[in-house]
Amino acid sequence: MSLRHAVLGLLTSGPASGYDLMKRFESSLGYVWSATQSQLYGELTKMADEGLVEVAAEGPRGRKEYAITEDGRAALLHWMTEVEPEPLRRNGLLLRAFFLHLVEPDKAVAFLRHQADLAAQQHEELSKLAELVAEEEPCPENTSGRIVLEYGLRASATYRDWADWAEKQI
Amino acid sequence: MSLRHAVLGLLTSGPASGYDLMKRFESSLGYVWSATQSQLYGELTKMADEGLVEVAAEGPRGRKEYAITEDGRAALLHWMTEVEPEPLRRNGLLLRAFFLHLVEPDKAVAFLRHQADLAAQQHEELSKLAELVAEEEPCPENTSGRIVLEYGLRASATYRDWADWAEKQI
DNA sequence: GCATGCATGTAATCCGTTACATGATTTA
DNA sequence: TAAATCATGTAACGGATTACATGCATGC
C-alpha cells in the first residue's frame, strides 16, 4: 500500500504528470520503491478520487499534471511518522542461501562468488554516485538523498563481505 | 513465484503436512520468506497438480503429508543455481528515509532512533540464537542456517549503525 | 464435557506485472 | 515525412492478505 506514499513524496517537490513520475521512479526512487507504468496511472486516478492529489493543469497530448493536496500531505506525514514500517519478509537471495547445502559445493561457491561480485559492482556504482552528490551544495532536500545513498553503500559492502566470507565457509 | 521453492526446500528434510510447514514458516523460514496459511494450502494443491509434490500419507483429521517428487527436486535445484535472483525493489524504511526532510527534525530523529533501537534489539536476539546454534555439532544442513544467521547479524548491525549515523546528520 | 490444538479449505479483495492499444507532438 | 518521445489508458492474470468456515482429536 506504499506506492501512493512514494507518489505523494515525489509530488512534494512540485506538480508532475504520470509520465514525469515514471521517469523519477526509473531513475532514483526505483531503487527504494518500484512501480510499473500501468500501476502508476491507475494509482494516480484512485488517489485523485480519494482527494489525495488533484489535476492542477492539463497540457498537450492529454497530459495531466497532478499536485498534492492538503489531505495528501497530511496522509504522507501521518504515514511517515505514525505508521510502523513493516519488516521485510521476502528475500530470494537468503532463501537460496538457506538451502545452499542442497547443491554441490562448487555450485554453491559459484553462487556466492557471483553474489559477491554483483554487490561489489553495485558498491562501486554507488560510490561514483556519492562523489557526484558530494559536489552539490548541501540543503535539507538532498540530505535525505545522501542518507539513503549512505545506506546503499553500507548495505552493499555488508552483502559483498558476507558473500566473500560465506564462500570461504564452504 | 518463490513460495513453491521455499516449500520444496522445506520438504527436502522429509514429508510434512501444510500445518507442519506453516509452523516452520512461522518459526525459522519466515524471516526469509513468509506465507499465510491460505496461500500455503493453495500452493500445495497446485504443486501436487503439477507433480512437484505428492501426497505420501494421510492421517487423522484429514491430514495430508506431502513429499517432494523427483520433478520437485529438479525444479528446486534449477531455481537455486540457474535462476538469477531478482534484486529487492521495495523497502518501506528507505522510502521513508528518502523523504525524511519533509518532517520536523525532531520527528526525523525520533524515527531514526527508533529504527536503531529495533535493529539493536534484533541483533541481540540473533546473537543469542547464534550462541545456541554454535553448540550444535556441525553438519552440512546447519551450515546453511549459520550462513543465513551470519547475514542477519551483519545486516542488523549495519542497519543499526547506519541509523545511529543518520541520526547525527540531522 | 470443554478448551486447546490440529488440520484443511473457500471467497473476496487488493496489489503488481505483462501485454495490448492508441494517439499527439516534436525534431531531424 | 519518419522516428523518437510524450502521454495515457485497459484487460487478463497471478500472487498475497484477510476473513470466514468447518470439524476432528487429545488431554484435562
Side-chain angles (χ1 to χ4, degrees):
Chain A
M1 240 309 245
S2 282
L3 172 58
R4 58 179 51 200
H5 302 116
V7 170
L8 290 170
L10 288 175
L11 288 179
T12 58
S13 28
S17 68
Y19 192 84
D20 295 338
L21 293 170
M22 202 52 224
K23 277 186 294 184
R24 296 215 225 162
F25 271 99
E26 274 162 18
S27 56
S28 61
L29 191 60
Y31 292 92
V32 149
W33 203 272
S34 69
T36 60
Q37 178 258 29
S38 287
Q39 202 193 351
L40 180 54
Y41 281 101
E43 191 68 27
L44 280 167
T45 317
K46 265 197 278 174
M47 289 168 78
D49 288 348
E50 293 173 39
L52 301 173
V53 298
E54 62 189 359
V55 179
E58 307 208 15
R61 279 163 298 203
R63 175 185 174 92
K64 285 186 253 178
E65 273 198 339
Y66 290 93
I68 190 169
T69 63
E70 272 315 302
D71 277 7
R73 200 173 285 271
L76 176 60
L77 293 185
H78 175 260
W79 172 78
M80 296 227 358
T81 56
E82 311 296 331
V83 180
E84 191 76 8
E86 25 191 291
L88 299 177
R89 293 193 179 286
R90 274 174 196 113
N91 186 326
L93 292 158
L94 291 182
L95 183 56
R96 283 172 176 86
F98 201 88
F99 296 122
L100 216 52
H101 60 274
L102 299 175
V103 304
E104 294 134 57
D106 60 323
K107 294 226 175 185
V109 165
F111 173 79
L112 292 167
R113 183 75 255 121
H114 182 54
Q115 292 305 314
D117 289 344
L118 288 177
Q121 198 180 316
Q122 200 195 353
H123 187 81
E124 275 182 48
E125 280 166 27
L126 291 175
S127 299
K128 280 177 199 157
L129 192 57
E131 278 177 43
L132 293 177
V133 171
E135 286 167 21
E136 292 170 21
E137 54 196 292
C139 73
E141 257 208 51
N142 61 27
T143 301
S144 307
R146 279 170 211 209
I147 287 176
V148 171
L149 183 54
E150 177 70 20
Y151 178 82
L153 284 166
R154 293 182 185 216
S156 55
T158 299
Y159 188 61
R160 178 199 58 205
D161 296 345
W162 167 80
D164 278 338
W165 169 87
E167 193 192 330
K168 278 169 205 135
Q169 302 296 304
I170 298 176
Chain B
M1 242 306 248
S2 283
L3 172 58
R4 58 179 53 199
H5 302 115
V7 169
L8 290 170
L10 288 176
L11 288 179
T12 57
S13 26
S17 68
Y19 193 85
D20 296 337
L21 292 170
M22 203 53 225
K23 278 187 292 183
R24 295 216 226 163
F25 271 99
E26 275 162 18
S27 55
S28 61
L29 191 62
Y31 292 92
V32 149
W33 203 272
S34 69
T36 59
Q37 179 258 30
S38 287
Q39 202 193 352
L40 181 54
Y41 281 101
E43 192 67 28
L44 280 167
T45 316
K46 264 196 280 176
M47 288 167 77
D49 288 348
E50 294 173 38
L52 301 173
V53 298
E54 61 190 0
V55 179
E58 307 208 14
R61 280 163 299 203
R63 176 186 172 92
K64 285 185 253 180
E65 273 197 337
Y66 290 92
I68 190 169
T69 62
E70 271 315 302
D71 277 7
R73 199 172 285 269
L76 176 60
L77 294 184
H78 175 261
W79 172 79
M80 295 227 0
T81 55
E82 310 297 332
V83 180
E84 190 75 8
E86 25 192 290
L88 299 178
R89 295 194 177 285
R90 276 178 194 110
N91 185 325
L93 292 158
L94 291 182
L95 183 56
R96 283 170 176 88
F98 200 87
F99 296 121
L100 216 52
H101 59 276
L102 298 175
V103 304
E104 294 136 57
D106 60 324
K107 294 228 174 183
V109 166
F111 173 79
L112 291 167
R113 182 77 255 120
H114 181 55
Q115 292 306 313
D117 289 345
L118 288 177
Q121 198 182 314
Q122 200 194 351
H123 186 80
E124 275 182 50
E125 279 166 28
L126 291 175
S127 299
K128 280 177 199 156
L129 191 57
E131 278 176 44
L132 293 178
V133 170
E135 286 165 22
E136 292 170 21
E137 53 195 291
C139 73
E141 258 209 50
N142 61 26
T143 300
S144 307
R146 279 169 211 208
I147 286 176
V148 172
L149 184 53
E150 177 68 21
Y151 178 82
L153 284 167
R154 292 180 184 217
S156 54
T158 299
Y159 189 60
R160 178 198 61 203
D161 296 345
W162 167 79
D164 278 339
W165 169 88
E167 193 192 331
K168 279 169 205 135
Q169 302 296 304
I170 298 179

